[in-house]
Amino acid sequence: MTTVGAAVATHCPYCALQCGMDLAPAGPASGSRAGLPVTVTPRQFPTNGGGLCQKGWTSATVLRATDRLTTPLVRGADGALAPAPWDDALDRVAARLEGLAVEHGPEAVAVFGGGGLTNEKAYALGKFARTVLRTPNIDYNGRFCMSSAAAAGNRAFGLDRGLPFPVTDLAGAGAILLLGSNAAETMPPFVQHIAGARAGGGLVVVDPRRSATARLAGPGEGVHLQPVPGTDLVVLLALLHVLVAERLVDREYVARRTTGFDDVARSAAAWWPERAETVCGVPAEELRRVARLLAAASPSRGGRGAYVLTGRGVEQSAQGTATVTAAIDLALALGLPGRVGSGYGCLTGQGNGQGGREHGQKCDQLPGYRKIDDPAARAHVAGVWGVDPGTLPGPGVPAVELLTSLGAPGGPRALLVHGSNVVVSAPNADRVRERLAALDLLVVCDVVPSETALLADVVLPTTQWAEEEGTMTNLEGRVIRRRRAADPPGEARSELWILAELARRLGSDVAFPTDPAVVFDELARASAGGVADYSGLSHARLDAHDAAGGAGLYWPCPAATPELSGPRAGSDGSGPDDSEARKLSGPHAGFRDPGPDRSPGEHPGTPRVFLDRFATPDGRARMVAVDHAGPSDDVRPDAPTYLVTGRVLQHYQSGAQTHRVPELERLVPEPYVELHPLLGLRVGVGDGARARLTSARGVVEATARWTDAVRPDTVFMPFHWSGAGSVNRLTTDAVDPVSAMPEFKVCAVSVTPAVPDLAATAVETLEVPA
């Protein structure tokens, strides 16, 4: 196997921090483990500052996983998957898709995408679904990750960008409120950006567990609030109550830049700290302390600045949109969004979770974050695609509803899966497996034989991160280049080639280019004028910008810059001037100076949105009153314990990549359940014994770990495993009514010994850890 050439600058294949790294050809003197095509070296980049986590350091191993898919697989009459030539595999897929569409209509075919696909592949997948298959049935696993934050952000600000500011801005803050994120394990290099707030005692972490991130908010460094699972909304409402009651609201900002405050203040009036304490379990004085800390750091009171940040722990909830809305209301009451050095943001999870939802994978969207039922949007995108707008389907259904409908009467009969492992990562996973089995055709494009791929009728081997060119959009809305450093093994092909070949076989006359740079140029045209406008970007411009010392460019970045004749999206008429903004964000922002990498008239990109106005018709942010309803699956006599789920440092998502890295697998080789010693004693499950967790949906077993880092009413399980230890067999597929995000993060379970007699004996001999 040969490498492509000299060392290349690219990015980590995992989370949305998209840490910079250099990949060099492996050689005898490189120290690379035998058989790997490249070596990994961390690179100075604003998001990671030259650091990498364990997953990043070992990422090259996945390129040569021992079971890497290198040839198409087709299920034969004997029921087994066997290698097949590309022509045979694609002919079979095309013939079956065509037959099902003729028999049942185009809606009989569905597509499920992934938040790890490049912008080019995500765009092409949405285009393929709507122009070749002409099906409305497309959604993606970002529905499980970002939809509640997106819904709340769009409603409040008129625009959804995870962080509407560079992550480096966080370093100057006096206080940071972090809800529902264990960033110290999920994206370790991020921790450097919150060190400033921590040094001043201003880091506030809200988490039912004393996670690695919560431990950073120790005495003198900050505050850890440990609420009852599913009550984060109550915490936020109580904080807002204190701001109003103690006259800590930035009234001038609220009057000038928002609407809806009076309704929000009335809703918060019902949640005085003592009442909130009875629901969320956080002491009233702790709630008052945190509200005052945030207010003291806010610009209106002369502070260094404050941020409110949310993550999956509060978003993956049946009231996720309401919870994020309350976080935004709190930030607006403090006068934070749209000011340099302060703000609200969401920590995007998947590598391209931001770009993946901007260009057509979501069931109701077209490229540029356009709504698919908007006639003007349909006309514009159809013009780029060369089709009649009337032939484009309307909105489809979101992920959980789509998966539940598979194989059901009137539901899709075929599913194409790209970059997702739904039988591990979707909620109520046993039901998902049943629905996949009911299909007439399941086609999976993947790099390894994931649990979902092993159920498929046809498996198509694809290239992965270091074997392909393209772009990603990280958690800040920074569009960055993914560059090829190694040849793919065997017959693995890019999804761009696969989609083009299928389109040809299905008789489509719509063009599907396979050169990622050409695809990006088309994406840029399709996004022009949209909320997420990439029309001023190209591979060539991004490469030139990086060569001149830049580090990607932020959207919106239209083809023509409005700063020459009107208000600038990157200015702040009431705050620090541009020179301070440049200083905060670094030279990579290209804030107003053209720089050597762009010509006069080229838009510099938008590191910070909202500085002049919000993206609403009147330019004001919408404050929206919300209230607490509680989890959809709350504790009860037959399920008296809360289950919360999350990630561990060594593994990522369903584990399809990281379980194939021996160094990571040795560190955490099997699923486990954390429970408090008091709970362990009460239910008869000893430390190191096997525990059985039962919910209304399923049963799992895992090794018990006693720890006082969890509440006595709560157990924690990571979600990186399949089989008997797959925690998503327990999670509920109840969804948020606004975002359709499932409630992964809290449900009710019973905890019992897996082997009752042995576990009970073990408990008698164990001591409670100090």
Side-chain angles (χ1 to χ4, degrees), residues 733-745:
D733 54 8
V735 299
D736 180 286
V738 179
S739 68
M741 173 179 273
E743 190 163 46
F744 281 106
K745 280 298 181 280

Side-chain angles (χ1 to χ4, degrees), residues 141-166:
N141 63 15
R143 180 72 61 178
F144 303 154
C145 176
M146 295 305 305
S147 53
S148 288
N154 279 322
R155 184 166 67 182
F157 304 131
L159 181 148
D160 156 42
R161 202 177 86 182
L163 296 184
F165 48 80

Side-chain angles (χ1 to χ4, degrees), residues 530-582:
V531 173
D533 191 333
Y534 284 35
S535 61
L537 300 174
S538 66
H539 283 204
R541 184 179 176 195
L542 290 168
D543 287 343
H545 181 73
D546 289 358
L553 289 163
Y554 297 82
W555 71 262
C557 187
T561 174
E563 73 177 15
L564 301 179
S565 58
R568 290 170 292 107
S571 67
D572 182 2
S574 62
D577 63 18
D578 285 357
S579 61
E580 181 174 348
R582 280 197 300 271

